[in-house]
C-alpha cells in the first residue's frame, strides 16, 4: 500500500514538473508581454519594466529562477494586479469556487440519487420516463445556458433572486443549480441503472422472501450496493465542478478563479498563468489520486495488480 | 406505502441542505450595500459596473479607464474639467502663466486629505516626482511619460542624467507650486485633471502596498474609500474633509465587477444597478435597438473624442500605392456601417481628429471640416485601376484584413470586406487575432489592413496629430513624412492658438491626402441611466464624472 502511494506521488511530482516546464516555454513563445497596450508606452519605460520583472534575461535563466522559486513554493507577484501575490489571488478566487462547488456537489448527489431511485422504482412507468427525459436534458444542455435561463426567468422575470453577486445567502441558489444540473443528471442515470441491476439480484429476492419491509430492503440492501458507482464518480466530479465553474461564475458575476485564468493569458500575466495552471493541475491530480486510493481500499483486486507491477 | 416515508426523509435532508446553504457566511459589505435604494430622495448611492477589478488604485500607476473611474472620485488634481471638457479650478484656486508659456505658478486653496491633513504644494511635488521615480515600487510607472512635459522629467525617469532635484516642479511654500515645462504646452492645464497628475498622501512612502487596500488609501477628492472586496465590489462614501463637500450630494458610489454584459443589463433591469453601459460597462450590441425603444427615457448615446479606423501598411503592396489607398477609403459607405452594423449613434469619419476636441474658439472639427475625401465609387474604381497600372499588376491578390478578436470588430470587418468586394471587385480575407499577437503584428508592420482605435489623452488636436509623426510608437503604418514632422514640431513650439490650429489643419490635410489610414467612424458611448439621477455625465473623451451627481426622485 505504501509503495502504491509513493509511486502515485512520484508520478504526480513528475507530471507537475513537466507541466510547469511546458507551460513556461509555451507561454513565453506566444507574442506579447504584460506591458502591451493599444497605446504603446515609450521604449525606455518598457525596458525599465522588463528589467524589473527579469524579462530582459535569457529565457533559460528566467526558467531557472521561476523553477527555483516554485521549489520554495513562491508563486511570485501578479504582473497586472499590483501589490497582489499570485497566492492571494488564488486564495480569494478559489474560496468562491470552492463554496459554490461544495453546495453544487451536495445538491447534485442528493438530487441525482433521489431521481435515480424514483426512476428505478417506477421502472418503465411514467415517472421513469419523465426522470430519464430530465436527465437527458440535464446532460445535454450546457451549464451556461442553464445559468442564463435561470437568471432570466427567476431573476429578471419573477424577481425571486438577485441577478448576480454573492451578497445574500439566496444568491447561492441559482449558480448552485446551474452547476449541479449536469452532474445530477449523470448521477441519476448511474443510480437508476445500478439500482435496476441490484433490485433483480438474488439477495434482494431473499430479503423479500424473509418478509423485510420495502423500506429496509431499499435503504439497507439495495441502495448501499447501487450507490458504489456513484461514489467512484464523486472524485472526478468534484474536480470538474470546482475547476469548471468559469462560465457560470461569469454569468452570475462571481469573482471566482475561472475568470483570472482567461484574463491572465490575455494580459500575459506570466506569474499568474503559471500559478493558476499549476494550481488546477494539483487539484485535478489530487482528485485522481484520492479516487485511486479509494478504489484501492474498496476493491482488493487493485491492490493486487499494483503489487504485481511493482 | 413505505416508499413515502423514505421520500419524506429525503425531502427533509434536501430541506436541511437548503437551510445550510442559506446560512453560508454573509459578506460584511452587505450591510452597507442596502443603502442603495433606502436613502432619502437626495442622498442615494449611485451603483455602476466596472466589469473588472482595477489593476491598481495608485494614481501614478493607473493607465486604464476602470481605475481612472474610481480614482476620479477619490482624488482631485490642480484643476478639474466640466462636462464640456473645459478646465475649471480644482485644488488650485488660480494660476499664473509666464510670458513664454513655460512656467506655471499654481495657487492652492485650503483643502484637506480625508484624514484631515492639509493638501500642500509639497504633496504635488512629492507625488509627481514619485511617479517619475525609476525605482518606484512595485514597478516603474508605465504612464510616467504623461509627465514628460515637465523640465528634466524624462531625463530623470529614464536615467538620462538629471537628478530628482532638477525636475521642474517645486513647492515655493505650502500654497504655491511652480512648474517649469520643456516648451509652452497650451493644454497643460487640462492635463492637471489626468490621473498621473493627481496628488497622493505623503504617508504612501512608508507603505509600499498602500494602494491595495481600502484602509490605507487616503484621498483628497469628493469621496473616500469605504470598502473594497477584491474582484467583487468597491464602495466610496463622501469625504467629509473635501473642500466643497456641500456640492457632493450622493450618499456614496457602489462599483461592482461583473464581466458579462448581459448580466450587467439584467442587473440594471432588476434595479441592482443605476447605470449600465459605457464607459466601464457594455450594452450588448444586439440589445441596443430594442432598448432604444423599450427604455427610451433611460437610453443615452454620446459622441466622444475617440476614433475607429483601419491602418494601411504603406510598406507592403498594394498599399505602397497612394491611389490604391485612396480607392479603398473612398469605396466604403460609412453610414451603412454606423446605421446597420454598429448602431450606437457613431458618426462616419473622414478625418483624423474627432469631434469634441477644442479648437480656436469652438470645437476643432466644427472649425475645420473633415471633407478630405468623398465616398465616390466611380472615382474609387478609376483610382484603383490607375494604381494597379502604376504597380504593373492586372489583378490584386486577396487583401488580408486583421483585427483583434471581438464580435463588434468582426461585424465591422465583415461589412467592410463585403463593400470592398462589391465596390472594387477585390477579395478580402478577414482574420481575427488574439490581442497580444495582434498588437505585435501591428507594431512590426506584419499586416496589410489592421483595425485600430484611438481615444484622446487631453483636449487638444495634438493628441491625434502627433500620432503619425515618423518617430511615434503608435504610427504603425510605415507613413513617414518630413513635411508632416516639421508641421508637428512647429505646432509644438507655437503658442498662438490661431496659428497652432492653422498648423494642425495643414498637418491633418497632408496626412489625410496620403491616406495611410481608412477612417471609419467617431465613437459614441451608449449607456442606460435610471431616471432621477442628475449631474452624472460622460465628458468629451468618454470619462464618467459622478462627483457632482445627485438624485431627484
Amino acid at each position: 500500500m505504501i509503495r502504491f502511494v509513493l509511486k502515485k506521488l512520484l508520478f504526480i511530482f513528475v507530471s507537475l514538473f513537466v507541466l510547469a516546464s511546458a507551460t513556461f516555454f509555451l507561454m513565453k513563445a506566444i507574442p506579447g508581454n504584460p506591458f502591451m497596450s493599444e497605446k504603446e508606452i515609450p521604449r525606455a519605460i518598457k525596458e525599465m519594466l522588463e528589467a524589473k520583472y527579469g524579462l530582459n534575461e535569457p529565457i533559460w535563466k528566467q526558467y531557472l529562477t521561476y523553477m527555483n522559486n516554485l521549489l520554495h513554493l513562491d508563486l511570485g507577484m501578479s504582473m497586472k494586479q499590483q501589490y497582489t501575490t499570485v497566492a492571494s489571488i488564488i486564495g480569494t478566487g478559489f474560496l468562491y469556487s470552492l463554496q459554490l462547488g461544495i453546495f453544487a456537489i451536495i445538491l447534485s448527489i442528493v438530487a441525482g440519487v433521489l431521481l435515480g431511485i424514483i426512476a428505478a422504482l417506477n421502472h418503465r412507468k411514467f415517472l421513469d420516463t419523465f426522470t430519464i427525459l430530465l436527465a437527458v436534458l440535464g446532460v445535454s444542455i450546457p451549464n451556461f445556458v442553464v445559468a442564463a435561463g435561470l437568471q432570466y426567468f427567476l431573476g429578471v422575470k419573477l424577481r425571486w433572486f438577485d441577478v448576480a453577486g454573492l451578497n445574500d445567502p439566496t444568491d447561492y441558489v441559482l449558480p448552485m443549480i446551474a452547476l449541479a444540473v449536469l452532474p445530477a443528471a449523470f448521477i441519476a442515470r448511474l443510480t437508476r441503472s445500478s439500482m435496476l441491476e441490484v433490485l433483480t439480484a438474488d439477495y434482494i429476492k431473499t430479503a423479500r422472501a424473509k418478509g423485510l419491509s420495502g423500506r429496509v430492503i431499499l435503504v439497507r440492501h439495495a441502495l448501499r450496493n447501487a450507490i458504489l458507482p456513484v461514489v467512484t464518480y464523486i472524485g472526478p466530479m468534484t474536480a470538474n465542478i470546482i475547476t469548471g465553474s468559469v462560465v457560470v461564475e461569469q454569468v452570475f458575476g462571481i469573482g471566482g478563479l475561472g475568470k483570472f485564468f482567461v484574463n491572465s493569458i490575455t494580459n500575459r500575466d506570466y506569474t499568474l498563468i503559471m500559478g493558476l495552471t499549476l494550481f488546477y493541475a494539483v487539484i485535478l491530480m489530487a482528485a485522481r489520486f484520492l479516487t485511486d486510493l479509494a478504489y484501492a481500499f474498496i476493491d482488493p483486486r487493485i491492490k493486487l495488480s499494483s503489487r504485481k507491477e511493482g | 406505502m413505505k416508499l413515502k416515508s423514505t421520500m419524506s426523509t429525503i425531502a427533509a435532508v434536501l430541506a436541511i441542505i437548503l437551510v445550510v446553504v442559506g446560512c453560508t457566511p454573509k459578506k460584511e459589505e452587505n450591510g452597507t450595500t442596502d443603502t442603495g435604494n433606502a436613502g432619502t430622495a437626495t442622498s442615494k448611492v449611485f451603483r455602476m459596473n466596472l466589469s473588472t477589478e482595477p489593476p491598481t488604485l495608485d494614481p501614478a500607476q493607473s493607465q486604464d479607464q476602470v481605475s481612472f473611474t474610481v480614482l476620479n472620485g477619490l482624488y482631485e488634481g490642480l484643476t478639474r474639467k466640466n462636462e464640456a471638457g473645459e478646465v475649471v479650478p480644482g485644488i488650485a484656486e488660480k494660476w499664473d502663466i509666464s510670458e513664454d508659456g513655460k512656467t506655471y505658478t499654481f495657487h492652492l486653496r485650503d483643502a484637506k486629505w480625508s484624514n484631515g491633513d492639509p493638501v500642500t504644494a509639497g504633496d504635488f511635488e512629492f507625488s509627481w516626482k514619485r511617479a517619475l521615480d525609476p525605482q518606484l515600487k512595485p514597478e516603474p510607472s508605465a504612464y510616467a511619460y504623461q509627465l514628460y512635459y515637465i523640465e528634466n522629467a524624462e531625463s530623470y525617469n529614464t536615467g538620462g542624467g538629471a537628478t530628482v532635484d532638477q525636475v521642474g516642479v517645486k513647492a515655493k511654500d505650502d500654497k504655491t507650486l511652480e512648474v517649469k515645462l520643456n516648451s509652452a504646452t497650451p493644454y497643460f492645464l487640462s492635463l492637471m485633471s489626468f490621473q498621473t497628475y493627481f496628488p497622493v498622501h505623503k504617508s504612501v512612502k512608508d507603505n509600499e502596498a498602500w494602494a491595495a487596500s481600502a484602509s490605507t488609501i487616503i484621498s483628497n477628492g469628493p469621496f473616500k474609500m469605504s470598502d473594497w472586496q477584491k474582484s467583487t465590489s468597491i464602495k466610496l462614501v463622501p469625504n467629509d474633509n473635501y473642500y466643497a463637500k456641500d456640492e457632493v450630494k450622493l450618499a456614496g458610489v457602489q462599483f461592482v465587477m461583473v464581466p458579462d454584459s448581459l448580466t450587467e443589463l439584467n442587473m440594471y433591469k432588476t434595479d441592482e444597478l443605476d447605470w449600465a453601459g459605457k464607459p466601464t460597462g457594455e450594452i450588448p450590441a444586439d440589445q441596443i435597438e430594442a432598448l432604444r425603444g423599450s427604455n427610451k427615457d433611460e437610453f443615452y448615446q454620446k459622441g466622444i473624442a475617440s476614433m475607429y479606423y483601419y491602418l494601411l501598411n504603406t510598406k507592403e503592396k498594394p498599399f505602397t500605392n497612394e491611389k490604391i489607398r485612396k480607392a479603398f477609403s473612398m469605396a466604403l459607405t460609412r453610414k451603412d456601417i454606423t446605421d446597420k452594423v454598429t448602431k450606437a449613434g457613431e458618426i462616419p469619419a473622414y478625418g483624423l481628429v474627432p469631434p469634441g476636441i477644442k479648437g480656436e474658439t469652438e470645437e476643432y472639427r466644427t472649425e475645420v471640416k473633415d471633407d478630405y475625401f468623398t465616398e465616390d465609387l466611380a472615382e474609387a474604381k478609376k483610382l484603383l485601376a490607375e494604381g494597379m497600372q502604376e504597380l504593373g499588376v492586372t489583378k490584386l491578390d486577396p487583401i488580408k484584413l486583421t483585427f483583434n478578436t471581438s464580435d463588434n470588430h468582426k461585424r465591422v470587418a465583415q461589412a467592410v470586406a463585403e463593400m470592398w468586394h462589391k465596390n472594387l471587385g477585390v477579395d478580402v480575407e478577414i482574420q481575427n487575432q488574439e490581442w497580444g499577437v495582434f498588437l505585435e503584428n501591428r507594431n512590426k508592420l506584419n499586416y496589410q489592413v489592421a483595425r485600430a482605435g484611438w481615444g484622446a489623452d487631453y483636449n487638444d488636436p495634438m493628441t491625434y496629430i502627433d500620432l503619425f509623426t515618423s518617430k511615434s510608437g503608435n504610427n504603425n503604418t510605415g507613413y513617414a513624412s518630413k513635411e508632416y514632422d516639421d508641421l508637428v514640431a512647429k505646432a509644438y513650439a507655437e503658442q498662438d492658438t490661431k496659428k497652432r490650429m492653422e498648423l494642425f489643419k495643414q498637418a491633418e490635410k497632408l496626412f489625410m491626402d496620403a491616406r495611410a489610414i481608412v477612417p471609419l467612424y467617431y465613437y459614441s458611448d451608449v449607456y442606460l441611466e435610471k431616471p432621477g439621477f442628475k449631474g452624472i455625465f460622460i465628458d468629451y473623451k468618454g470619462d464618467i464624472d459622478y462627483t457632482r451627481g445627485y438624485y431627484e426622485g
Side-chain angles (χ1 to χ4, degrees):
Chain A
M1 190 65 196
I2 291 173
R3 266 179 93 160
F4 172 77
V5 171
L6 284 180
K7 217 176 103 181
K8 286 278 172 198
L9 284 178
L10 182 71
F11 176 74
I12 289 184
F13 187 77
V14 173
S15 311
L16 283 177
F17 173 77
V18 173
L19 183 83
S21 310
T23 312
F24 189 90
F25 288 108
L26 277 175
M27 169 180 95
K28 295 285 178 183
I30 40 174
N33 64 65
F35 319 113
M36 62 195 178
S37 83
E38 177 109 43
K39 294 191 177 180
E40 183 79 350
I41 58 175
R43 175 130 292 278
I45 294 183
K46 205 166 179 174
E47 278 163 7
M48 284 197 292
L49 285 165
E50 281 169 359
K52 163 81 204 172
Y53 289 103
L55 299 178
N56 52 349
E57 306 271 11
I59 296 271
W60 62 268
K61 213 167 171 186
Q62 295 181 36
Y63 172 72
L64 290 183
T65 313
Y66 185 82
M67 291 312 249
N68 185 31
N69 290 341
L70 195 61
L71 280 180
H72 297 91
L73 294 180
D74 178 10
L75 293 174
M77 299 283 276
S78 160
M79 295 183 180
K80 276 286 175 181
Q81 293 291 324
Q82 294 203 330
Y83 297 105
T84 318
T85 60
V86 170
S88 77
I89 292 181
I90 293 178
T92 324
F94 186 60
L95 202 64
Y96 290 116
S97 304
L98 190 68
Q99 274 182 355
L100 267 188
I102 288 175
F103 295 137
I105 289 163
I106 297 175
L107 178 69
S108 50
I109 294 174
V110 173
V113 170
L114 192 65
L115 285 173
I117 295 174
I118 295 176
L121 292 180
N122 295 285
H123 190 39
R124 303 242 166 97
K125 290 190 206 136
F126 169 74
L127 267 181
D128 184 24
T129 325
F130 181 69
T131 314
I132 288 311
L133 187 72
L134 273 188
V136 171
L137 281 179
V139 172
S140 38
I141 302 178
N143 62 9
F144 59 89
V145 176
V146 178
L150 288 171
Q151 184 182 66
Y152 184 72
F153 289 107
L154 301 185
V156 180
K157 284 285 142 186
L158 296 171
R159 306 267 174 121
W160 289 355
F161 297 96
D162 278 356
V163 163
L166 277 188
N167 304 317
D168 284 315
T170 49
D171 292 346
Y172 284 82
V173 176
L174 299 186
M176 183 177 79
I177 297 177
L179 279 176
V181 165
L182 189 142
F186 198 81
I187 290 177
R189 294 198 332 192
L190 268 181
T191 312
R192 175 183 175 269
S193 54
S194 69
M195 197 71 181
L196 284 176
E197 203 177 299
V198 169
L199 281 177
T200 56
D202 287 345
Y203 67 91
I204 297 287
K205 285 180 190 149
T206 315
R208 255 194 209 124
K210 270 163 60 185
L212 289 179
S213 74
R215 186 176 55 168
V216 173
I217 294 176
L218 183 73
V219 176
R220 193 174 298 166
H221 299 279
L223 191 56
R224 254 195 202 176
N225 283 303
I227 211 147
L228 269 179
V230 175
V231 173
T232 59
Y233 172 63
I234 290 178
M237 175 184 80
T238 307
N240 278 343
I241 288 190
I242 290 175
T243 56
S245 48
V246 185
V247 189
V248 172
E249 282 170 7
Q250 185 110 350
V251 169
F252 290 105
I254 295 164
L257 213 44
K259 73 171 176 195
F260 290 108
F261 205 27
V262 181
N263 290 346
S264 67
I265 297 170
T266 315
N267 291 333
R268 306 286 191 271
D269 191 341
Y270 293 136
T271 41
L272 190 56
I273 298 179
M274 290 299 295
L276 285 171
T277 310
L278 289 172
F279 180 74
Y280 277 135
V282 167
I283 296 254
L284 289 166
M285 287 181 191
R288 288 264 327 251
F289 176 65
L290 292 176
T291 314
D292 283 351
L293 220 55
Y295 272 137
F297 271 115
I298 294 168
D299 190 339
R301 278 170 299 180
I302 292 184
K303 258 187 258 176
L304 281 178
S305 67
S306 80
R307 237 180 240 148
K308 248 183 251 159
E309 277 173 42
Chain B
M1 285 295 155
K2 293 288 156 62
L3 185 63
K4 257 193 187 146
S5 58
T6 313
M7 296 275 283
S8 54
T9 318
I10 293 169
V13 172
L14 258 184
I16 289 167
I17 287 172
L18 276 179
V19 171
V20 172
V21 167
C23 295
T24 49
K26 248 179 128 169
K27 291 234 307 297
E28 292 161 38
E29 59 166 330
N30 198 29
T32 47
T33 52
D34 284 348
T35 41
N37 281 325
T40 57
T42 45
S43 64
K44 270 199 168 193
V45 170
F46 174 65
R47 299 160 305 170
M48 64 179 286
N49 182 22
L50 294 177
S51 298
T52 164
E53 171 100 332
T56 176
L57 285 184
D58 179 349
Q61 300 278 8
S62 158
Q63 316 170 48
D64 61 299
Q65 195 133 34
V66 169
S67 52
F68 181 73
T69 300
V70 182
L71 290 174
N72 199 28
L74 290 175
Y75 293 93
E76 185 166 304
L78 292 167
T79 68
R80 301 197 305 122
K81 51 186 175 176
N82 64 13
E83 190 163 357
E86 292 158 352
V87 170
V88 292
I91 296 297
E93 219 164 13
K94 52 188 192 321
W95 44 83
D96 310 311
I97 305 169
S98 67
E99 279 288 289
D100 62 359
K102 283 167 134 180
T103 307
Y104 282 66
T105 311
F106 293 96
H107 304 283
L108 276 60
R109 71 171 83 233
D110 290 321
K112 281 182 181 152
W113 291 95
S114 52
N115 69 350
D117 292 349
V119 179
T120 64
D123 290 333
F124 282 90
E125 182 186 340
F126 163 73
S127 308
W128 296 1
K129 285 179 173 171
R130 176 180 172 273
L132 287 167
D133 185 354
Q135 302 301 326
L136 181 63
K137 296 285 176 356
E139 61 183 41
S141 164
Y143 246 30
Y145 69 91
Q146 301 286 354
L147 299 164
Y148 284 0
Y149 302 98
I150 301 167
E151 203 175 79
N152 288 324
E154 180 168 6
S155 168
Y156 167 58
N157 180 236
T158 57
T163 64
V164 62
D165 295 327
Q166 288 173 299
V167 175
V169 50
K170 188 131 212 80
K172 290 283 187 196
D173 56 52
D174 276 358
K175 293 265 182 276
T176 320
L177 185 75
E178 189 187 80
V179 186
K180 289 208 168 84
L181 306 183
N182 290 324
S183 59
T185 309
Y187 49 89
F188 187 68
L189 284 174
S190 88
L191 287 170
M192 295 301 97
S193 53
F194 196 78
Q195 66 256 48
T196 326
Y197 287 88
F198 284 164
V200 292
H201 190 265
K202 278 194 174 118
S203 67
V204 310
K205 62 171 178 260
D206 304 319
N207 176 10
E208 267 182 35
W210 68 277
S213 75
S215 58
T216 43
I217 294 180
I218 300 171
S219 63
N220 75 327
F223 294 92
K224 60 181 180 184
M225 284 294 266
S226 143
D227 185 54
W228 185 358
Q229 300 285 334
K230 289 293 164 79
S231 301
T232 305
S233 66
I234 288 178
K235 188 169 162 61
L236 309 184
V237 292
N239 173 8
D240 294 334
N241 284 312
Y242 181 54
Y243 68 86
K245 66 174 181 191
D246 296 343
E247 293 174 30
V248 180
K249 303 258 169 50
L250 294 172
V253 184
Q254 169 90 22
F255 300 104
V256 297
M257 303 164 198
V258 173
D260 189 272
S261 59
L262 193 58
T263 304
E264 178 186 343
L265 180 60
N266 284 340
M267 288 176 81
Y268 178 85
K269 284 180 177 166
T270 55
D271 220 19
E272 289 168 58
L273 286 177
D274 300 311
W275 182 290
K278 295 286 181 183
T280 54
E282 181 95 53
I283 304 280
D286 53 1
Q287 301 280 326
I288 290 180
E289 274 318 286
L291 290 166
R292 203 190 290 274
S294 64
N295 294 50
K296 67 172 185 296
D297 296 334
E298 302 165 29
F299 184 95
Y300 300 89
Q301 58 188 35
K302 170 154 194 324
I304 56 164
S306 202
M307 190 168 66
Y308 193 101
Y309 54 100
Y310 282 158
L311 300 168
L312 299 176
N313 184 353
T314 62
K315 297 282 180 208
E316 195 182 318
K317 279 181 187 172
F319 297 114
T320 45
N321 186 285
E322 189 176 304
K323 282 184 175 154
I324 293 184
R325 295 201 298 267
K326 284 187 164 148
F328 272 74
S329 54
M330 274 181 164
L332 294 175
T333 41
R334 288 163 179 76
K335 193 125 181 49
D336 286 338
I337 298 176
T338 57
D339 284 355
K340 291 173 192 156
V341 183
T342 56
K343 296 194 273 198
E346 294 87 352
I347 303 164
Y350 305 93
L352 175 59
V353 182
I357 298 278
K358 226 166 60 186
E360 190 190 340
T361 51
E362 287 171 75
E363 280 186 16
Y364 173 83
R365 201 69 287 166
T366 317
E367 291 168 355
V368 184
K369 286 271 169 297
D370 62 347
D371 49 7
Y372 299 108
F373 65 95
T374 52
E375 290 165 350
D376 184 336
L377 303 186
E379 178 70 12
K381 267 187 203 145
K382 202 178 117 227
L383 282 169
L384 180 67
E386 287 173 16
M388 280 162 64
Q389 207 164 24
E390 285 174 18
L391 283 180
V393 293
T394 49
K395 192 179 180 308
L396 282 187
D397 290 334
I399 301 292
K400 277 199 197 67
L401 164 54
T402 43
F403 55 93
N404 54 303
T405 312
S406 130
D407 279 349
N408 187 44
H409 298 334
K410 186 173 172 184
R411 279 195 294 268
V412 173
Q414 282 168 335
V416 167
E418 178 59 32
M419 287 177 190
W420 279 340
H421 179 73
K422 202 177 101 207
N423 300 338
L424 296 175
V426 290
D427 289 329
V428 182
E429 287 170 12
I430 65 169
Q431 187 184 47
N432 66 313
Q433 291 176 348
E434 191 269 345
W435 182 230
V437 178
F438 173 73
L439 286 182
E440 180 120 338
N441 281 335
R442 213 172 67 176
N443 277 335
K444 290 186 171 159
L445 294 191
N446 182 19
Y447 72 89
Q448 277 187 302
V449 183
R451 183 208 73 86
W454 192 261
D457 280 328
Y458 45 85
N459 199 351
D460 190 89
M462 188 63 98
T463 190
Y464 278 89
I465 299 287
D466 83 346
L467 206 53
F468 292 100
T469 56
S470 52
K471 61 174 181 133
S472 159
N474 289 297
N475 180 326
N476 293 339
T477 57
Y479 171 78
S481 153
K482 174 98 181 36
E483 200 184 343
Y484 188 79
D485 290 353
D486 287 347
L487 283 170
V488 176
K490 262 191 222 159
Y492 265 117
E494 183 59 62
Q495 272 207 71
D496 182 78
T497 315
K498 195 178 162 69
K499 285 183 191 148
R500 282 181 84 236
M501 293 304 150
E502 185 53 40
L503 289 165
F504 287 143
K505 188 178 162 184
Q506 289 172 25
E508 190 183 26
K509 180 165 182 6
L510 186 72
F511 177 71
M512 288 314 296
D513 283 348
R515 216 71 57 74
I517 63 167
V518 178
L520 289 177
Y521 55 78
Y522 306 122
Y523 271 101
S524 167
D525 274 357
V526 170
Y527 61 92
L528 295 163
E529 187 188 19
K530 290 278 173 193
F533 280 99
K534 308 246 160 70
I536 299 170
F537 60 85
I538 285 188
D539 72 8
Y540 77 99
K541 70 192 267 252
D543 295 331
I544 184 170
D545 188 329
Y546 49 80
T547 59
R548 300 298 194 270
Y550 60 97
Y551 184 81
E552 211 170 62

